Amino acid sequence: MTSSMDRTFSALSDPTRRGILARLEGEPGVSVSELARPLSLKLPGLMKHLDVLSDAGLITRTKSGRTVSVHLSVGPMQEAMDWLRRYERLWTVSLDRLAAIVEEEDEQ
């Protein structure tokens, strides 16, 4: 069984999907056909990426007539950021120690 966090990080691992999310940040509610236009993907390929993003909860799709609009959903990304922040303290402490060691060596 895959956790929602696993689905989020898996979805974010692909540069095309990250590009889609970046575009949705600047253009909320863009249609699927508009989203596909600048990408070098055919519609079925884009739909697979959108399915992955949707399964991870990173986007929502709404249909109005024949037009499907895509919206960014920040909840799963916020959960991932919260998880990363818990470990940020460990990285910061380690980097601070490394900086101190390097500074000591430079002084010698």
Side-chain angles (χ1 to χ4, degrees), residues 74-85:
V74 297
M77 211 169 308
Q78 184 62 49
E79 181 184 353
M81 286 301 300
D82 291 344
W83 184 85
L84 288 170
R85 278 190 199 102

Side-chain angles (χ1 to χ4, degrees), residues 14-63:
D14 184 272
T16 300
R17 292 191 285 265
R18 290 192 307 270
I20 291 169
L21 294 175
R23 177 137 183 235
L24 291 174
E25 180 184 17
E27 297 178 57
V30 69
S31 72
V32 170
S33 58
E34 285 293 318
L35 197 57
R37 189 164 286 133
L39 299 173
S40 61
L41 292 173
K42 297 199 184 301
L43 196 55
L46 175 64
M47 295 305 292
K48 287 181 182 180
H49 284 293
L50 294 179
D51 288 343
V52 171
L53 291 169
S54 182
D55 289 345
L58 293 166
I59 63 164
T60 58
R61 292 180 268 196
T62 56
K63 188 172 183 177

